[in-house]
Amino acid sequence: WRLAKLARAGLPVPAGFCLTTSATEAWNDDTRAALIEAYLRMGGGSVAVRSSAPGEDGEDASYAGIFCSVLGVEGEQALVSAVEQCVASLHAPLANQYRENLGVATAPAMAVLILRMVQARTAGIAYTCAPMDPSHRNIHVNTVWGLAEPLASGRVEGDGFVISRTGKLLQRNLVDKSFQLTTAGEQALPESMRMAASLNAEEAKKVAGLAIRAEKFFGRPQDVEFAFDHDQ
């Protein structure tokens, strides 16, 4: 729903569709057929299959890295299997433990996003209201080479950039990045890339500008995932 709104507002959102909570709860041959039909209608090919439970990320909870997402999925049977993995992750031990810690008695329903896979050169997350920023004014951008899953799941730290709302790069912190994740799996990075900035200053400013647009559109602070391929 949010991605559809951003797409209609003119922000660069990958093509895709949503398998709704009612569809996953009524999982049967008809919903599998509808899933495959929608996948073929968008041209098939490589997609990201992403868990999207209502309320999984908000002011009171963040399930990043807990629910399953499957990247680089290609083919009808692989797509069905990936969707079933996402739905099953609702009841994984880590998810159950997290809900117990929050005092949540029951698991939410699970929607699943199927999005055109971005062949990411670099990717990351932008925060318009970062918890570690006392002013809550600057845009914080964290990036890694390749796909952002290792960063989103907390497995790696990533490079950090701080950009003012006027578009000025205020701070840059580079870290040692030993590998990148691609659709073919984890790949060791050459020495020349390990300490190199995974985002240049102009790209960081562009990301900050898009995050601010999303914040203004929704009327509240946002954290936004992004990826750069070789063109955009």
Side-chain angles (χ1 to χ4, degrees), residues 146-202:
L147 298 167
E149 187 279 334
L151 180 67
S153 65
R155 290 197 289 140
V156 301
E157 183 178 351
D159 296 332
F161 304 84
V162 181
I163 301 99
S164 74
R165 288 179 177 266
T166 58
K168 182 179 179 181
L169 180 62
L170 302 176
Q171 186 178 329
R172 187 181 75 158
N173 179 48
L174 306 182
V175 300
D176 188 358
K177 301 167 287 294
S178 61
F179 72 93
Q180 66 175 346
L181 180 67
T182 72
T183 53
E186 292 184 6
Q187 297 178 347
L189 286 169
E191 286 294 329
S192 60
M193 292 179 67
R194 290 183 60 153
M195 287 299 298
S198 51
L199 210 62
N200 65 41
E202 291 308 310

Side-chain angles (χ1 to χ4, degrees), residues 37-169:
E37 179 186 352
Y39 169 66
L40 295 177
R41 194 161 63 243
M42 67 179 284
S46 182
V47 295
V49 180
R50 307 193 61 191
S51 60
S52 187
E56 73 172 61
D57 290 304
E59 295 177 1
D60 300 319
S62 177
Y63 284 82
I66 294 178
F67 292 149
C68 176
S69 289
V70 189
L71 305 178
V73 176
E74 193 158 0
E76 298 172 18
Q77 292 310 308
L79 176 61
V80 170
S81 176
V83 167
E84 291 174 344
Q85 288 180 58
C86 286
V87 176
S89 70
L90 266 175
H91 304 286
L94 188 59
N96 290 336
Q97 182 63 55
Y98 189 63
R99 279 192 294 272
E100 184 178 325
N101 292 343
L102 291 175
V104 177
T106 58
M110 177 66 80
V112 181
L113 301 178
I114 292 86
L115 299 170
R116 174 70 58 214
M117 191 72 207
V118 176
Q119 301 304 318
R121 167 177 56 85
T122 185
I125 309 171
Y127 303 87
T128 66
C129 183
M132 72 292 291
D133 184 349
S135 73
H136 297 309
R137 291 294 301 163
N138 297 320
I139 313 303
H140 288 244
V141 179
N142 297 105
T143 63
V144 291
W145 293 116
L147 298 167
E149 187 279 334
L151 180 67
S153 65
R155 290 197 289 140
V156 301
E157 183 178 351
D159 296 332
F161 304 84
V162 181
I163 301 99
S164 74
R165 288 179 177 266
T166 58
K168 182 179 179 181
L169 180 62

